[in-house]
Amino acid sequence: MSRILLGVSGGVAAYKALEFIRLATGAGHLVRVILTPAAERFVGRASFEALSGAPALISEFERDPLRGAFPGEPPPAHTPISHLELVAKAELLLVAPATANTLAKLAHGHADNLLSSAALAARCPLLVAPAMNNRMYEHPATRANLELLRARGVELAEPGAGRLASVGEEGIGRLAEPAALLERCEALLGAGAREWRGLHVLVTAGGTREPIDSVRYLGNRSSGRMGLELARAAHRRGAQVVLVAANVSLASPDGVARRDVTTTAELQRVCEEEFERCELLLMSAAVADYRPAAPAAGKLKKAGRERVELELEATPDVLSGLAARRRPGQTLVGFAAEHGPDAVALAREKLALKELDALVVNDISRSDIGFDAQDNEVTVLTSAQERHVPRAAKAAVAEAILDVVAALRAEGA
């Protein structure tokens, strides 16, 4: 958990700062927000306050109700100068979006608003994420300002290329995506990087598909999002991560090696190849229990058929097979999608049957969590404990799961 001071300047991309706060707080970080007066014209301070859980400040002359403290921390007994106290407590200052105007102020040491004053007083790392029209970004003055900031050790999150705010315009200048910004912040903060440095982690994600014919398949609704967040969280802790992605259309986290598969048989083959090198297995993929016994080589025709009967056969139990091959020092974590009030009891039976170190269970009878949803709510079972993780963004749930795993590995060390 780290203290991040977020400075938001006045551009259309200010709305993305809200998503950054959601991700950062979901990952356990404390966030305070400074807005420039122009930024408030794009997104009101109430939205930032709701997501961060703390007052958002605009003027150096307004009183900070928390007196420079971050959410959940006791405020000092005195009333300090806000721009000095905020950066004194912050472990990192992120300016996102940073407009051309704000970049110029930061480069030349101006201090004419709360954000620029705080930046000038900051002794913590400063990460700047530019966002503007491509013609402004490519102007020699902006390029010179960026070089000045780099020369002073300021970190830059380069903008992306694509559709811009002006109708019909495309080019470089799009604010880096919030998830990428959080990764940069955590890399600078070193959040957890020492904990799992050198640990080899194998993560499976998504859902396998078993062919009925050349175009149809049996499958499930898993998007792979939970597995991606687990891979991202493990990488942030310093691990070397291999992701086995079963029919996942989402982009992989930076720094994570990826192998794509389709069927259960393919998943099994790749997992067996990678298992010998891994020390932690997070088996979050939704693996099909059955497959058509005799899939058609071509496309089954509907004409003249009122019904089609499929004979199904069981697929290999990939996780049990890997558990049978485990070596000392390996930690195996399974995932179970159960339905209804007996979900945890059924999962505990699987924990013992498959001889796992932990099993994560979520109740798929609910439509607001689990498959193809942004949030999740799980219970993490081990032989000695049962930890309930309340509904939260999957990034936060992933961190909670890895906290349990880290404790397990520490006990066995």
Side-chain angles (χ1 to χ4, degrees):
M1 180 178 70
S2 300
R3 302 182 194 90
I4 299 174
L5 180 59
L6 172 63
V8 183
S9 59
V12 172
Y15 77 92
K16 287 188 176 181
L18 296 174
E19 176 64 6
F20 172 83
I21 298 171
R22 189 184 72 83
L23 293 174
T25 55
H29 301 294
L30 306 178
V31 180
R32 288 294 308 266
V33 179
I34 294 175
L35 303 171
T36 66
E40 193 185 22
R41 297 173 70 93
F42 289 91
V43 182
R45 75 166 81 192
S47 297
F48 292 102
E49 292 175 344
L51 289 173
S52 68
L57 303 180
I58 297 174
S59 169
E60 58 268 52
F61 299 106
E62 66 181 312
R63 180 180 180 275
D64 177 11
L66 293 185
R67 301 198 291 276
F70 277 68
E73 297 181 336
H78 67 292
T79 301
I81 300 172
S82 60
H83 70 276
L84 298 178
E85 189 71 9
L86 281 169
V87 290
K89 290 186 175 297
E91 295 169 79
L92 183 140
L93 170 57
L94 167 66
V95 182
T99 61
N101 185 43
T102 294
L103 283 176
K105 292 180 180 181
L106 297 179
H108 295 281
H110 294 190
D112 63 347
N113 60 30
L114 179 57
L115 175 56
S116 59
S117 297
L120 197 60
R123 294 295 179 265
C124 61
L126 172 58
L127 174 61
V128 173
M132 65 199 74
N133 181 271
N134 63 312
R135 286 170 285 175
M136 299 175 72
Y137 183 73
E138 293 167 344
H139 192 281
T142 302
R143 307 306 300 173
N145 289 334
L146 290 170
E147 288 307 316
L148 270 175
L149 291 170
R150 285 192 183 96
R152 293 197 195 112
V154 174
E155 296 285 336
L156 297 177
E158 298 288 350
R163 183 180 174 186
L164 301 174
S166 301
V167 176
E169 289 202 34
E170 294 191 2
I172 191 167
R174 289 174 56 86
L175 180 67
E177 291 303 313
L181 288 176
L182 180 57
E183 287 192 24
R184 285 292 303 276
C185 288
E186 292 183 324
L188 289 171
L189 291 163
R194 293 179 298 277
E195 182 183 3
W196 283 2
R197 189 180 299 279
L199 187 74
H200 290 76
V201 177
L202 178 60
V203 182
T204 67
T208 58
R209 296 174 179 176
E210 308 302 326
I212 296 171
D213 60 14
S214 59
V215 296
R216 303 177 181 90
Y217 61 84
L218 295 178
N220 57 67
R221 295 188 294 110
S222 177
S223 65
R225 187 173 283 110
M226 190 70 245
L228 291 177
E229 293 298 348
L230 287 164
R232 193 190 315 278
H235 176 66
R236 283 200 296 258
R237 295 179 185 223
Q240 298 180 39
V241 183
V242 174
L243 172 70
V244 182
N247 307 293
V248 176
S249 61
L250 302 170
S252 299
D254 291 340
V256 171
R258 174 168 173 160
R259 300 188 65 178
D260 286 288
V261 298
T262 300
T263 66
T264 300
E266 291 174 3
L267 180 81
Q268 180 183 35
R269 175 180 58 80
V270 173
C271 285
E272 288 176 350
E273 291 174 4
E274 297 289 346
F275 186 66
E276 296 304 318
R277 292 186 288 273
C278 90
E279 293 146 293
L280 168 60
L281 170 66
L282 301 168
M283 193 77 175
S284 69
V287 182
D289 293 323
Y290 296 93
R291 65 189 174 197
K299 178 183 177 182
L300 292 173
K301 300 298 182 182
K302 181 179 180 181
R305 296 181 182 220
E306 291 298 322
R307 57 185 294 166
V308 174
E309 293 186 2
L310 290 177
E311 181 182 355
L312 302 179
E313 63 180 13
T315 59
D317 189 330
V318 180
L319 184 54
S320 292
L322 295 174
R325 300 171 50 185
R326 71 188 300 174
R327 66 179 188 275
Q330 284 183 308
T331 303
L332 274 61
V333 181
F335 287 70
E338 299 291 352
H339 193 285
D342 297 328
V344 172
L346 293 170
R348 189 162 286 284
E349 292 178 9
K350 288 185 179 180
L351 176 70
L353 181 65
K354 295 179 184 285
E355 299 183 329
L356 304 175
D357 297 289
L359 193 141
V360 182
V361 56
N362 63 284
D363 182 0
I364 59 172
S365 65
R366 292 174 52 182
S367 61
D368 57 335
I369 59 171
F371 281 158
D372 205 22
Q374 298 289 336
D375 295 346
N376 210 354
E377 181 174 339
V378 304
T379 300
V380 187
L381 303 177
T382 69
S383 60
Q385 67 168 303
E386 179 177 310
R387 177 179 173 183
H388 178 69
V389 181
R391 178 180 171 178
K394 287 183 175 178
V397 174
E399 293 288 353
I401 292 169
L402 295 194
D403 285 345
V404 174
V405 174
L408 271 176
R409 289 187 59 80
E411 291 170 5

